[in-house]
Amino acid sequence: MGHATHFLQRLQRSTAAQAERALQLYNNPALVEQILDQLHLDESVDRMVWSLDEHDQGPYLLLTREGGFVTCLAKNMAIEGLYIVNYSRLIALWEKAQSRLEKLQHVREWQEQTGNSWQDLLSMMTAKGDDLSREMFQRLVALQPVLRVQMLSQLLQRFEELLQLQPSLTTSLQSSRDSSQDLYRHYWNDVWSMSHLSTLLVHEGHAGLGELQEFFTLLQEQAPSEGPTEVLVLGQPTSLFWPSFRQGLVPIALRAIWGMGRLGKPLVAPLKHHLQVMDSFLTWNMSFLGLSCIALRHNKLQKEIAKTLYSQMTKPASLAMLQQWNVPEGALAFTLALVQGESVPKAQLRQQFQTTAMGMLQGHELPEDFQCSQATDIPEDLACSLVCNASGNWIKEPGELMRMTSLLPWLAQVEAPQLYLPESFIASLSAAWNVNSAVELLETHQSYYGSGAPQTVRKEPRVGRNDPCPCGSGKKYKKCCMRTSS
């Protein structure tokens, strides 16, 4: 008896509705692949069962970890020792997988219409710089599940290019800028490209982090003891945001804050550490705002984070450092109150965002389908997106922290595409690129870092995947703390 015949015969153990559900999966390998991608199975899992019964009493589909269908287990048959996906979870994963496939189909249709490949789409993303639209970002979102590693590789490449460009561009600051315009534009686009890529990599939260962690580990093994790759590859998810956050541009920093809020728990420990060290304005700001966004997005973590922030930020030594860094007292007080659960002045914030957005729109030819005669006509979500994308540099102007903290409640609840403006508004508001934008960014970066390059971080001795875990549990590292950190 053939394997397929055996499996189909065993479906007689199920009801007609259950058999139809099983056949939908059996006949759609792409759907099964997308469901498996969301399960993040441990290496020890060889086989699993998926419940076809809403009461989780059977029948069950028995599958290999690769998605091969083995058999259908009847009601009340033994499933002890097998990885179990209950019915409600299977349906949730199924719906999400179906949504992914629909998005991928839209991208395929777009590729057929335009003749562009996914490599072309990533190149277009880089070329757009700060003019990437919501519509193009959504096309990239559809590709993320199948291109995570490629996107992370692109992020690393952009960061290394940035570090290589900085010395020559720093020299040209003292000479003619005209001859270096192409390099400045390349530098500017790389900065924004890193932000787009890090946002794409985490837009689904934990999905795919295990795969990225494996890639980080591989790069750690291949990286030299010192160098630009090592600065980024620290084996922590915070490494995804640091290269773009450290540039100082407000819209980019806000996307990084959103990303930290989206990831949540895996970032709490490293961000707490950086917050307590208080060694620089940059790391403090990333840690403080990142933890705040996590607390607002993840209710289970709010009390823990609120306690950490309040105890750390009210210490005399911390207050002295914040004063030295010119951190606005209002931004600090507002954020601490927010994280501790105090009510948000929603109406006041909405009016503030709408007024700011109205000022940004004045003097521009707006989309034909957008009617706006006064600030209150602007939808709140659009107003927040406009404020989020307004230019500014928080390293050069610490007062920008007021804007960044006021957007925290919005950042904690929106999805990634809302961080970008619709294409029609990009066309209305964008101006011709000016080399001075990149020059000012580089000058601010140079004045803060001095040499224009970050200090090399030396790695601690690396623990191998199969080495004993340093926590002393007696287990292998991959079966213990490596799994927790991933």
Side-chain angles (χ1 to χ4, degrees):
M1 182 188 299
H3 180 271
T5 304
H6 168 82
F7 172 75
L8 295 173
Q9 286 184 347
R10 291 298 181 269
L11 285 183
Q12 296 174 4
R13 297 168 169 173
S14 59
T15 66
Q18 291 167 346
E20 181 182 356
R21 198 172 297 127
L23 286 172
Q24 285 177 325
L25 291 167
Y26 182 79
N27 292 321
N28 195 338
L31 179 64
V32 173
E33 182 182 353
Q34 290 293 336
I35 293 174
L36 288 171
D37 182 66
Q38 298 174 73
L39 286 175
H40 314 304
L41 297 173
D42 186 81
E43 291 180 359
S44 61
V45 176
D46 293 321
R47 292 189 173 190
M48 70 196 107
V49 288
W50 293 3
S51 176
L52 295 174
D53 172 49
E54 59 187 28
H55 301 294
D56 296 322
Q57 296 177 350
Y60 295 92
L61 295 176
L62 179 63
L63 289 84
T64 66
R65 68 174 293 116
E66 292 81 19
F69 287 76
V70 179
T71 190
C72 179
L73 302 176
K75 186 175 181 179
N76 297 324
M77 288 187 71
I79 57 173
E80 288 81 6
L82 292 170
Y83 183 91
I84 302 171
V85 179
N86 63 34
Y87 180 80
S88 60
R89 186 184 180 199
L90 176 61
I91 296 304
L93 294 172
W94 189 325
E95 291 175 352
K96 197 167 185 179
Q98 193 64 49
S99 175
R100 282 184 176 183
L101 291 173
E102 289 171 2
K103 290 176 182 177
L104 283 170
Q105 181 59 33
H106 290 322
V107 171
R108 292 190 190 100
E109 292 171 359
W110 176 82
Q111 288 175 328
E112 290 174 3
Q113 292 171 3
T114 62
N116 293 315
S117 65
W118 66 263
Q119 294 96 331
D120 297 326
L121 194 56
L122 287 179
S123 297
M124 290 166 65
M125 176 201 72
T126 301
K128 286 290 184 181
D130 55 332
D131 284 338
L132 186 70
S133 68
R134 184 177 295 181
E135 290 82 353
M136 182 172 283
F137 181 84
Q138 287 173 320
R139 294 189 193 108
L140 290 160
V141 162
L143 292 173
Q144 189 263 13
V146 293
L147 294 177
R148 290 192 195 100
V149 169
Q150 290 89 335
M151 287 180 174
L152 179 58
S153 179
Q154 289 272 320
L155 175 59
L156 289 163
Q157 182 181 337
R158 297 288 176 266
F159 186 48
E160 293 197 6
E161 282 181 0
L162 208 64
L163 297 180
Q164 291 167 5
L165 279 171
Q166 283 168 348
S168 59
L169 291 177
T170 300
T171 302
S172 70
L173 287 174
Q174 311 301 325
S175 56
S176 173
R177 299 174 184 175
D178 295 336
S179 60
S180 304
Q181 284 227 16
D182 289 344
L183 284 178
Y184 278 113
R185 185 60 192 261
H186 194 85
Y187 171 77
W188 178 259
N189 286 348
D190 274 352
V191 168
W192 284 91
S193 178
M194 289 191 303
S195 175
H196 303 324
L197 289 165
S198 60
T199 306
L200 283 164
L201 285 166
V202 301
H203 90 279
E204 287 191 327
H206 297 108
L209 268 189
E211 185 180 11
L212 296 181
Q213 184 68 33
E214 290 178 9
F215 189 63
F216 269 129
T217 303
L218 177 64
L219 285 171
Q220 281 181 306
E221 292 172 350
Q222 297 175 349
S225 59
E226 297 180 2
T229 302
E230 186 187 2
V231 177
L232 177 57
V233 186
L234 302 176
Q236 294 179 345
T238 47
S239 305
L240 293 171
F241 309 107
W242 178 242
S244 53
F245 191 92
R246 67 192 287 271
Q247 306 303 321
L249 295 176
V250 173
I252 287 178
L254 289 170
R255 289 168 190 168
I257 293 164
W258 175 89
M260 288 183 277
R262 189 71 177 85
L263 277 188
K265 190 173 182 178
L267 297 185
V268 173
L271 289 176
K272 273 186 177 181
H273 170 73
H274 289 305
L275 184 76
Q276 291 164 356
V277 172
M278 292 282 288
D279 57 350
S280 77
F281 178 40
L282 268 67
T283 54
W284 170 82
N285 195 24
M286 179 171 166
S287 304
F288 180 69
L289 295 181
L291 284 170
S292 299
C293 195
I294 292 171
L296 296 177
R297 190 162 192 137
H298 302 271
N299 291 333
K300 292 182 179 179
L301 300 170
Q302 184 168 2
K303 287 185 178 179
E304 173 193 351
I305 292 174
K307 182 178 179 181
T308 298
L309 293 180
Y310 185 80
S311 63
Q312 182 65 27
M313 292 299 96
T314 54
K315 292 178 180 178
S318 298
L319 293 172
M321 289 300 295
L322 297 178
Q323 187 175 15
Q324 181 181 330
W325 294 332
N326 296 318
V327 174
E329 292 182 8
L332 180 66
F334 173 80
T335 307
L336 289 177
L338 200 62
V339 173
Q340 288 172 337
E342 295 186 18
S343 59
V344 179
K346 294 182 179 179
Q348 182 181 344
L349 285 175
R350 180 173 62 251
Q351 183 181 7
Q352 174 186 325
F353 296 145
Q354 288 174 326
T355 302
T356 303
M358 188 69 181
M360 294 173 64
L361 296 176
Q362 286 179 345
H364 294 277
E365 185 176 344
L366 301 178
E368 293 181 1
D369 59 349
F370 179 72
Q371 301 297 323
C372 175
S373 58
Q374 55 188 356
T376 52
D377 293 337
I378 305 174
E380 185 176 1
D381 178 62
L382 176 60
C384 290
S385 293
L386 285 163
V387 174
C388 177
N389 284 278
S391 60
N393 192 306
W394 59 269
I395 297 177
K396 186 177 180 181
E397 304 164 7
E400 285 283 8
L401 266 64
M402 290 298 298
R403 169 163 52 128
M404 296 167 73
T405 55
S406 67
L407 282 165
L408 280 171
W410 179 73
L411 291 172
Q413 63 182 0
V414 299
E415 295 303 320
Q418 291 168 273
L419 301 171
Y420 292 83
L421 289 173
E423 201 166 75
S424 57
F425 281 87
I426 292 284
S428 298
L429 299 177
S430 64
W433 184 78
N434 191 317
V435 68
N436 290 331
S437 299
V439 169
E440 289 173 7
L441 175 61
L442 191 65
E443 286 176 338
T444 301
H445 192 272
Q446 184 187 16
S447 66
Y448 184 86
Y449 281 103
S451 65
Q455 184 178 357
T456 298
V457 179
R458 297 187 181 276
K459 290 187 286 190
E460 298 295 328
R462 181 179 170 275
V463 181
R465 290 167 55 83
N466 294 308
D467 292 346
C469 188
C471 74
S473 65
K475 300 179 182 179
K476 290 184 178 181
Y477 179 53
K478 68 180 180 182
K479 297 290 186 182
C480 192
C481 291
M482 177 179 171
R483 184 187 305 173
T484 303
S485 63
S486 298

